[in-house]
């Protein structure tokens, strides 16, 4: 081997160990978690993360398919990436483009047909195979991997290095459940994420312990129907999400626990009692209802009534009086009348929400809702959404104003907009601005709420030593 060939080999090896990946994440918290785990898997393959798409050797779009025209937005982004890929090629740089997530699962090979610049399409259940799939793509194969594999992807994903976890902050997501068996007629999740699957107890606990060891103070458990999580303990005893929360609450360093997103039908007694008993479980619950009309709930295949939902909320509040409620609402579902919509407004008034997410119904191809009669005009849906959001915003602002004067424990997470200012997270998931030092990130301090803005609160420190992180 000549010296020139040897030098070239070394340069190629060095380049392979210094590849950069840019991951663009769309949609929900689970996609944020998935993007992080994809990054962990790629780090083992020599990829370093970058915030600058133009300098990336690999660009991954981790997509969401919940909202209307989600796929078209992905194709629009792919059009811009095609031009960047051509520019890089003209300058002697290779760029690999991948599409991951729910649009990848739904569209599959259609993405390769419509976007020839794409090298790799990988579904949300197969991203643990990314390093091997990328080797195939770099070898010239155009890869589509959207089958549901028999193995547990979490068993095959490498754990993030402690230094990487620390860089992500003092709050972290942890997926414990995936998929959905509910088959609401408006929703694509059962088709893109598959059937409900729960991660084993030991696997969840081990990941939570790694997060805590790296300085994470608050863990949010994720799942499409997170409160459908089930498992067994060492003795074979059946466990539910309430039991899992009790186990995680015993991990040293974990000061706060949350979970999302829940289904009313899976809100059992054990979980409600966990809200009553566990100080680490924050008094905040996202519990979607979608509509207040029993006729529309039946058409949505929600399998509960408005009365069932309100009664459940009353039980939860009896167990935890200071709990803040969040929800999801869809307006303009096929066949929705003004009377149906009025029933939704009445339910909102009866419950009282600290926060909520609301959307116009959008057709999701392949779902039963797409074939229902009575689709509403866009202007009708828009007008109803405006009225609904006005009511929800009034409730959110009233909840924020009611916080003024309260003393709360605040988890300090990151610097604020001004010097000497920090942003923390209240027990009810609000952003709170307070004067504090950057060295206090990860501390839980006692503060008094002094003001309420449209999307955040302000506070003064009462006691800086509520719960300091371990140095």
């Amino acid at each position: 081997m000549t010296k020139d060939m040897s030098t070239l080999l070394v340069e190629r090896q060095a380049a392979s160990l210094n590849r950069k990946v840019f991951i663009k994440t769309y949609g929900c918290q689970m996609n944020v978690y998935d993007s992080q785990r994809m990054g962990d898997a790629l780090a083992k393959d020599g990829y370093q993360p970058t915030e600058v798409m133009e300098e990336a050797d690999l660009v991954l779009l981790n997509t969401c398919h919940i909202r209307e025209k989600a796929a078209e937005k992905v194709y629009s982004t792919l059009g811009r990436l095609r031009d960047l890929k051509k520019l890089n090629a003209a300058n002697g740089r290779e760029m690999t483009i991948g599409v991951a997530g729910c649009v990848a699962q739904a569209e599959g090979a259609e993405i390769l047909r419509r976007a020839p610049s794409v090298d790799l399409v990988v579904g949300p259940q197969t991203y643990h195979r990314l390093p091997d799939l990328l080797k195939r793509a770099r070898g010239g194969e155009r890869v589509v991997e959207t089958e549901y594999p028999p193995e547990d992807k979490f068993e095959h994903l490498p754990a993030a290095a402690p230094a990487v976890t620390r860089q992500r902050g003092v709050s972290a997501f942890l997926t414990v459940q995936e998929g959905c068996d509910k088959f609401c007629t408006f929703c694509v999740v059962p088709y893109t994420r598959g059937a409900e699957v729960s991660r084993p107890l030991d696997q969840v606990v081990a990941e939570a312990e790694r997060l805590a060891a790296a300085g994470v103070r608050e863990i949010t458990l994720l799942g499409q129907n997170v409160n459908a999580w089930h498992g067994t303990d060492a003795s074979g005893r059946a466990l539910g999400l309430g039991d899992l929360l009790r186990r995680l609450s015993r991990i040293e360093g974990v000061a706060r626990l949350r979970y999302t997103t829940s289904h009313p039908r899976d809100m059992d007694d054990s979980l409600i009692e966990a809200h009553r008993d566990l100080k680490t479980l924050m008094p905040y619950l996202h519990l979607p209802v979608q509509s207040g009309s029993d006729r529309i709930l039946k058409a949505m295949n929600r399998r509960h009534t408005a009365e069932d939902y309100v009664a459940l909320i009353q039980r939860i509040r009896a167990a935890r009086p200071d709990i803040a409620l969040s929800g999801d609402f869809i307006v303009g579902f096929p066949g929705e009348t003004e009377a149906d919509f009025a029933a939704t407004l009445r339910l909102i008034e009866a419950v009282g929400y600290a926060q909520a997410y609301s959307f116009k119904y959008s057709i999701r191809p392949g779902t039963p809702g797409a074939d229902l009669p009575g689709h509403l005009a866009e202007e009708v849906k828009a007008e109803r959404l405006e009225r609904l959001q006005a009511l929800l915003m009034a409730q959110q602002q009233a909840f924020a104003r009611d916080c003024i004067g309260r003393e709360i424990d605040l988890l300090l997470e990151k610097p604020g907009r001004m010097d000497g200012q920090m942003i923390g997270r209240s027990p009810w998931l609000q952003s709170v601005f307070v004067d504090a030092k950057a060295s206090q990130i990860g501390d839980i301090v006692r503060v008094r709420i002094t003001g309420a803005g449209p999307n955040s609160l302000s506070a003064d420190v009462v006691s800086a030593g509520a719960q300091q992180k371990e140095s």
Side-chain angles (χ1 to χ4, degrees), residues 40-56:
D40 297 338
L42 291 169
K44 300 293 184 181
D45 200 37
Y47 282 93
Q48 300 299 316
T50 178
E51 300 293 325
V52 182
M53 185 169 62
E54 288 75 11
E55 70 180 26

Side-chain angles (χ1 to χ4, degrees), residues 4 35 74 82 205 407 444:
D4 287 345
S35 290
V74 171
R82 174 198 60 208
V205 171
E407 288 190 9
I444 297 175

